Amino acid sequence: MSDQRGKVLSFGPFELSIGGRILTNGAETVSLGARAMDLLIVLVEQANKVVGRRTLIERVWPESGVEQVSLRVHISALRKALNRSDPGRRYIANVPGRGYSFVVPVTSASLPMSGDLNPSSRPRLPARLVRMLGRREALATIQMKLAEQKFVTIVGPGGIGKTTVAVAVAHEMSATFNGQIYFVDLSALGGASRVAPAIAAALGVSVQTSNVVPALIDRLQGRSTLIILDCCEHLIDEASAVAEELICRVPTLHLLATSREAMRVEGEQIYELCALECPGEDNKSAHDVLQYPAVQLLVDRVRAVRGDFELTDADAPIAARICRRLDGIPLAIELAAGRVDIFGLSKAASLLDDRLNLSWVGRRTALPKHQTLNAALEWSYDLLGVTEKRVLSRLSVFAGGFTFEAAVAVVADETIDEANVSDCIWELRSKSMIAAQGQSARLRLLDTTHAFASQRLAESAEEVGLRRRHALYFGDLFKQGASMDIPERIQALGVEVGNVRAALNWAFSVEGDAKIGVELAAASASTWMAMALLTECRDWMTKAIGRLDNASAGSRQEMIVQSALASCMMFTDGMTEESYASWEKARLLAECLDDTECQLDSLLVLWAHQIRLPNYAEATELADRCGDVAALSGNRGAIAMANYMRGVTYHHSGRISQAEACFELSLHRDDEASRRSLITRFGYDRKVDALAVLANVTWLRGCPDQARRLKLTSIAEARQLDHAVPLCVALAWASFNTYLASPDDPETESLANELVDHAGKYNVESYQGFGLGMQALYGVRRGEGDAATATLYRGLEKLSAARYGVFNWFLQAEFARCTAVAGHPQLGLAVFERAKINLDETHWYAAELRRIRGELAVYNDEGLEVARQYFLSALGLAASQASLSWELRAATSLAIAEESAELKERAWQTLQSTHAKFREGHETVDLRLAKQVLAVSHLHDGAANSMH
């Protein structure tokens, strides 16, 4: 076996160190016996697979075999230990006759060994300064406050070093939080509503809803985490609200914020970051002044550009005076240090004194520290050459950093050629006017420098031209990126969202160019979607559509923008009439432009709308149209999708045999890359859905054992994906199919409970509504009456709001039947009639609706003839649809209900013939009841009450 010492497996709130044999939940260690730990390691390493009892015994007790009762005892102990730390979640499933399976998703990571490099390819923290001076006490105090109070805001003026200190604190505490530290730069965000999505993007949370905070709360639960919110001041209200909700709702979360003002919310601890301490006038020698961090910083930064620099006793008072005049502000000192190499210490101090005195005139209303920093910036700017000044001001068009290539491409023009721009960039870099961004090759202007340079650009006549070139550059960049693979595109273009925001803001402004804005919106649409910034994407696409001109009407750009808008609307608002109209526009544009991929996407979503309503006739037409487009394309993935759509449509409309054939084609001839692409674009998996519905198809045609295997496969596939919607789909169908086969099995209700919890966490209203409906069925079977009724109608309200009507009639009809069985026949009939069920429709569970209506007729003494007609109608429809399981139920009900010898004999023969068609599942409820009816004669009441 390979060396597993550094292997760590994560599941739920737990982390399991294989080498250390330690199970932790946040900061707490979970106590396990040696055998329980051995069992846990074996099960977790083979998560979502069934591990046989003999295999477990051989792995855990290799030298001396034990009885299976010992295995059960240790499994029970392991379950109890997990439940104590995480109550309510089911980790280990017992698979009858086979063994045990660990059913919670497991992720794997390797802890770095001594000397190993950090394996993360996408660092969560900016690099810390190699040498940070004068902040030891600040670091210690902030760390202590964070550990004890959990929420600290570092407050201070611009340039004081808030971000530098916050990054250093994060690196210092990396071990404390086991690497669970995330840095969120808010400086490039242009709108308050984007704070929570920015945090979600930093954490890698893909949320398809406009309300991101609940998903953040769910992701952060159970693991000690530190989040740094940097540069909050311009979004202080929204940042405060999000921070307060997160810190109040997540006990294991620690927050560190930087801002020019406090958030003033509950739980916040403020740390005011002061300037670096400066020497007084009485400090004369180099040794004396070098005891102060401000002078240490000045000398350190001068040495960075002039390695042989040494501070002499003669120059010590000058250095001290520079630091005092700059009030110990780190940014101002660094800017001054860049001048010392050119002018020498004495001349730099003289120029600085003169310039600062001039800058103070007429501006006493500003804070003194802000006066000093602004003066330092003006002074440093005035010492630049004419070309350097122009390049610096032009660089202010970038937001959130830039590459060297981007800077040259945007800044260079006929007045400053590329060579001059290149030279100026490196000169500005050496003078600390441009900073490096982390360990990457990206550059940036410090915030205060950026604001200063922006003012200078606004005062010039160049701003409009620069912003046009900036927008055009990123339009071209994102067009090129559209041809890249999705993971590469996210990595390469995701860092440029700040620049895209700035470019779009300009393009759609009064001074901008709407045509460029439309082009950039179309080019960047897939990036916004891939980063799950759905609300922001919707805003930009809406603006783009509002500014389309006649020349752009019917263009590929309009199609892309309409598709992106429709996707965002569907994910944030659900399948509304508005989103349907947007998708229809996108489909028509795709047809005109002969764009196969967009046609298929549009047809898929339009079809899903009709399936959910339900409107099966229109859904059939859309599925067939998709099949035609797919066949012409010859693409395997497209053909698989069309077969999947047909399979679902045929199943829902009662064409069971055709549905099974389509599902088999879709599953066995799919293209994995195409399937994964669909998951990325829509968060939806056709394989999970096909397996789930195929399980129902298989049960309908009389193969309950096969149906169970397909159900388990569907759930396993969904858990591996770690996406919200596929697991909702799998759990919904699994709970439904298990209820049909074994309504009293505890697994049935546990699946529904998990569905309600999971769908609730991710705001998937339709599936949460269905889960509540299933919970209502278990409640009424337990005699909970009014509580169960309230749960049913709460679920139906959610289904209605989400425009999801597939299961509505079945849930209400089955609830009505269970109510009658519980001794309330009139109330059961009232529930059925309130549902306004159309028994003439011939969808996939129409036969069962007719049978249930017949049962209600029996319970309410409507007469045997009335009940018989419902049962015979159900029998005929089930037979025509090849739904053997519905046929068995109808035949059983008829055999129980008939009273005359002749008719009872005929019904008995029908039931016997139907029962004989089954080749498996003889221990299921329906088959056991049918066998009982065939074996003995039943009285009406007793037999009827035995139905589920």
Side-chain angles (χ1 to χ4, degrees):
M1 294 179 64
S2 61
D3 189 356
Q4 300 291 301
R5 289 176 300 163
K7 188 174 182 182
V8 175
L9 300 176
S10 300
F11 47 89
F14 298 103
E15 284 195 347
L16 173 63
S17 170
I18 301 297
R21 292 175 61 81
I22 296 174
L23 179 67
T24 56
N25 182 350
E28 297 181 0
T29 299
V30 181
S31 179
L32 288 180
R35 298 302 187 190
M37 176 61 74
D38 290 336
L39 288 169
L40 178 63
I41 291 172
V42 174
L43 290 169
V44 170
E45 286 184 329
Q46 301 186 60
N48 293 313
K49 297 179 181 178
V50 178
V51 183
R53 293 180 176 82
R54 181 52 52 193
T55 300
L56 287 170
I57 291 172
E58 291 173 352
R59 289 282 300 275
V60 178
W61 292 273
E63 297 180 358
S64 58
V66 298
E67 297 296 327
Q68 292 198 8
V69 65
S70 296
L71 174 62
R72 289 197 297 271
V73 168
H74 285 88
I75 287 287
S76 176
L78 176 56
R79 281 174 168 157
K80 289 178 180 178
L82 294 173
N83 187 63
R84 279 195 298 271
S85 292
D86 186 20
R89 189 178 304 196
R90 182 166 173 259
Y91 282 88
I92 301 171
N94 177 22
V95 183
R98 299 181 62 193
Y100 297 93
S101 177
F102 197 84
V103 294
V104 172
V106 176
T107 57
S108 178
S110 295
L111 289 176
M113 299 293 111
S114 177
D116 285 352
L117 295 175
N118 188 338
S120 175
S121 61
R122 193 178 74 179
R124 297 167 177 166
L125 283 176
R128 68 184 300 178
L129 288 179
V130 175
R131 189 176 179 209
M132 187 173 64
L133 301 165
R135 297 303 192 191
R136 182 176 300 174
E137 182 179 347
L139 291 180
T141 303
I142 293 170
Q143 288 183 67
M144 182 180 67
K145 283 178 174 285
L146 263 180
E148 295 177 354
Q149 307 295 333
K150 300 202 305 179
F151 182 12
V152 178
T153 300
I154 303 173
V155 176
I160 203 71
K162 300 184 294 294
T163 300
T164 299
V165 170
V167 170
V169 169
H171 281 281
E172 289 282 333
M173 302 187 78
S174 180
T176 302
F177 291 95
N178 197 23
Q180 293 300 310
I181 300 179
Y182 300 86
F183 183 88
V184 185
D185 181 6
L186 303 181
S187 63
L189 296 186
S193 64
R194 292 161 190 166
V195 173
I199 298 173
L203 269 65
V205 177
S206 179
V207 184
Q208 296 168 346
T209 175
S210 57
N211 186 9
V212 177
V213 174
L216 288 176
I217 292 170
D218 180 60
R219 173 59 65 88
L220 292 167
Q221 293 287 358
R223 177 176 294 181
S224 187
T225 303
L226 172 62
I227 293 178
I228 299 99
L229 299 178
D230 188 50
C231 194
C232 299
E233 54 268 5
H234 65 303
L235 302 171
I236 194 69
D237 291 337
E238 177 69 6
S240 300
V242 173
E244 185 174 32
E245 185 169 5
L246 290 179
I247 206 70
C248 290
R249 298 283 298 280
V250 185
T252 55
L253 176 64
H254 296 248
L255 276 178
L256 179 60
T258 72
S259 176
R260 295 183 187 181
E261 63 176 302
M263 293 189 181
R264 298 189 294 276
V265 297
E266 183 181 352
E268 179 190 31
Q269 296 292 309
I270 299 170
Y271 184 87
E272 184 173 359
L273 188 64
C274 299
L276 296 177
E277 188 177 2
C278 301
E281 293 183 2
D282 57 342
N283 295 104
K284 304 298 184 183
S285 70
H287 177 270
D288 290 341
V289 300
L290 282 171
Q291 303 309 304
Y292 293 86
V295 177
Q296 293 171 7
L297 177 63
L298 177 67
V299 172
D300 185 79
R301 297 301 184 260
V302 173
R303 284 176 178 166
V305 294
R306 216 171 85 187
D308 61 345
F309 178 80
E310 292 292 337
L311 186 66
T312 65
D313 285 345
D315 286 336
I318 301 172
R321 187 170 81 248
I322 289 175
C323 293
R324 286 195 305 270
R325 296 299 283 157
L326 296 174
D327 283 352
I329 297 175
L331 174 58
I333 292 172
E334 292 191 10
L335 292 172
R339 309 285 60 132
V340 172
D341 179 47
I342 302 171
F343 299 102
L345 197 64
S346 180
K347 179 64 174 176
S350 176
L351 291 171
L352 177 60
D353 285 344
D354 292 340
R355 188 56 183 144
L356 285 174
N357 285 333
L358 288 173
S359 69
W360 285 343
V361 175
R363 298 201 278 125
R364 291 291 186 182
T365 55
L367 291 173
K369 291 178 180 178
H370 289 179
Q371 296 168 358
T372 305
L373 181 57
N374 192 61
L377 286 164
E378 289 182 349
W379 167 76
S380 187
Y381 180 78
D382 285 348
L383 291 177
L384 297 176
V386 174
T387 304
E388 289 175 346
K389 289 179 180 178
R390 293 181 69 185
V391 169
L392 179 65
S393 64
R394 290 180 179 189
L395 287 172
S396 68
V397 297
F398 291 100
F402 51 88
T403 63
F404 177 79
E405 293 77 13
V408 172
V410 172
V411 172
D413 63 6
E414 63 277 1
T415 63
I416 309 176
D417 62 24
E418 293 182 355
N420 269 331
V421 171
S422 177
D423 291 342
C424 286
I425 288 173
W426 296 119
E427 281 296 316
L428 292 168
R429 174 73 183 91
S430 69
K431 295 172 183 176
S432 299
M433 301 297 287
I434 297 177
Q437 197 168 18
Q439 299 289 342
S440 68
R442 288 178 68 78
L443 304 170
R444 69 183 179 95
L445 300 184
L446 298 174
D447 291 345
T448 47
T449 308
H450 185 275
F452 181 89
S454 294
Q455 292 176 359
R456 295 300 177 270
L457 182 62
E459 293 166 1
S460 73
E462 296 185 333
E463 183 172 17
V464 172
L466 261 294
R467 295 204 177 278
R468 179 182 296 276
R469 287 206 299 276
H470 175 265
L472 288 171
Y473 173 83
F474 284 100
D476 290 340
L477 183 68
F478 274 70
K479 286 176 188 175
Q480 294 169 7
S483 61
M484 299 164 58
D485 292 334
I486 285 177
E488 295 177 4
R489 183 167 72 242
I490 295 173
Q491 184 177 5
L493 301 181
V495 295
E496 301 292 2
V497 293
N499 281 304
V500 176
R501 286 188 186 107
L504 288 169
N505 272 319
W506 169 80
F508 291 138
S509 69
V510 176
E511 298 83 9
D513 187 325
K515 182 178 180 182
I516 294 176
V518 172
E519 292 175 351
L520 181 56
S524 62
S526 58
T527 301
W528 296 113
M529 294 287 292
M531 296 181 71
L533 297 172
L534 302 176
T535 302
E536 188 168 359
C537 182
R538 176 175 177 167
D539 291 345
W540 293 126
M541 299 308 127
T542 300
K543 288 182 179 179
I545 289 174
R547 287 162 175 78
L548 287 168
D549 56 21
N550 292 333
S552 300
S555 66
R556 178 173 177 78
Q557 287 175 351
E558 183 185 4
M559 178 193 71
I560 293 171
V561 170
Q562 284 284 6
S563 297
L565 176 62
S567 294
C568 293
M569 292 169 64
M570 178 180 68
F571 289 137
T572 58
D573 298 333
M575 292 185 173
T576 63
E577 290 293 340
E578 188 180 4
S579 70
Y580 188 91
S582 294
W583 277 112
E584 181 61 21
K585 290 178 184 176
R587 184 189 68 80
L588 293 173
L589 286 167
E591 280 188 1
C592 294
L593 296 168
D594 197 25
D595 187 301
T596 299
E597 182 177 359
C598 188
Q599 283 186 69
L600 292 171
D601 283 351
S602 303
L603 288 167
L604 172 65
V605 179
L606 293 170
W607 166 84
H609 271 265
Q610 299 298 338
I611 281 289
R612 291 164 68 98
L613 285 175
N615 184 348
Y616 297 138
E618 183 65 23
T620 301
E621 182 181 340
L622 289 165
D624 288 341
R625 191 180 304 170
C626 184
D628 294 340
V629 175
L632 288 173
S633 73
N635 182 281
R636 284 182 58 190
I639 295 171
M641 186 172 79
N643 280 318
Y644 150 76
M645 292 164 61
R646 282 172 167 156
V648 172
T649 308
Y650 292 157
H651 166 267
H652 285 18
S653 55
R655 298 152 70 179
I656 305 303
S657 299
Q658 291 171 280
E660 184 176 26
C662 288
F663 283 134
E664 295 288 349
L665 286 172
S666 178
L667 289 166
H668 295 143
R669 298 183 185 179
D670 204 349
D671 177 73
E672 187 65 13
S674 171
R675 174 200 167 206
R676 293 283 174 177
S677 176
L678 182 69
I679 297 170
T680 301
R681 296 197 310 278
F682 295 109
Y684 190 80
D685 182 29
R686 58 176 172 254
K687 181 177 182 180
V688 166
D689 202 356
L691 287 167
V693 184
L694 182 58
N696 185 258
V697 169
T698 307
W699 180 85
L700 287 172
R701 65 177 185 80
C703 301
D705 294 342
Q706 292 182 44
R708 178 173 177 78
R709 288 192 290 272
L710 287 166
K711 174 195 73 177
L712 294 174
T713 304
S714 174
I715 293 176
E717 286 282 348
R719 294 196 194 281
Q720 290 176 4
L721 291 176
D722 195 25
H723 278 66
V725 174
L727 186 55
C728 284
V729 171
L731 291 171
W733 279 104
S735 62
F736 182 78
N737 289 329
T738 308
Y739 180 86
L740 293 176
S742 306
D744 295 319
D745 188 333
E747 180 192 14
T748 308
E749 188 168 6
S750 70
L751 288 167
N753 293 340
E754 183 181 358
L755 171 61
V756 171
D757 292 342
H758 180 76
K761 288 175 183 177
Y762 293 96
N763 296 314
V764 189
E765 291 284 287
S766 56
Y767 287 103
Q768 188 181 32
F770 175 77
L772 289 169
M774 294 301 297
Q775 286 180 334
L777 296 183
Y778 309 126
V780 73
R781 291 169 68 87
R782 284 194 295 266
E784 294 177 3
D786 292 343
T789 301
T791 301
L792 172 69
Y793 288 110
R794 187 155 60 95
L796 291 173
E797 285 178 8
K798 287 183 176 290
L799 288 167
S800 177
R803 296 167 59 84
Y804 192 92
V806 174
F807 293 95
N808 286 13
W809 283 350
F810 180 90
L811 290 172
Q812 293 173 88
E814 178 64 9
F815 189 91
R817 189 193 66 79
C818 291
T819 301
V821 171
H824 306 285
Q826 292 182 345
L827 180 58
L829 184 58
V831 170
F832 192 97
E833 291 177 344
R834 177 180 175 180
K836 297 180 180 179
I837 295 171
N838 183 355
L839 292 176
D840 293 330
E841 289 199 11
T842 57
H843 49 81
W844 60 289
Y845 57 77
E848 178 67 353
L849 295 181
R850 297 179 188 184
R851 184 191 75 86
I852 289 174
R853 183 62 185 86
E855 291 285 337
L856 291 172
V858 172
Y859 278 104
N860 283 277
D861 298 322
E862 295 180 52
L864 179 57
E865 181 59 31
V866 173
R868 180 187 296 120
Q869 292 307 312
Y870 284 123
F871 294 147
L872 289 173
S873 175
L875 262 172
L877 180 58
S880 69
Q881 293 180 338
S883 295
L884 186 59
S885 289
W886 291 150
E887 189 177 350
L888 178 71
R889 286 191 176 187
T892 303
S893 292
L894 181 63
I896 292 171
E898 290 291 7
E899 296 176 350
S900 70
E902 180 181 352
L903 293 178
K904 199 168 191 66
E905 174 66 20
R906 188 182 305 170
W908 188 91
Q909 291 176 352
T910 299
L911 177 58
Q912 183 182 48
S913 173
T914 305
H915 183 272
K917 296 176 184 178
F918 283 84
R919 295 292 180 266
E920 63 181 55
H922 293 287
E923 295 305 311
T924 59
V925 172
D926 290 342
L927 284 162
R928 289 204 312 268
L929 178 60
K931 185 177 181 180
Q932 187 180 3
V933 172
L934 290 170
V936 297
S937 175
H938 283 264
L939 294 175
H940 165 66
D941 289 342
N945 283 332
S946 68
M947 290 292 290
H948 299 343

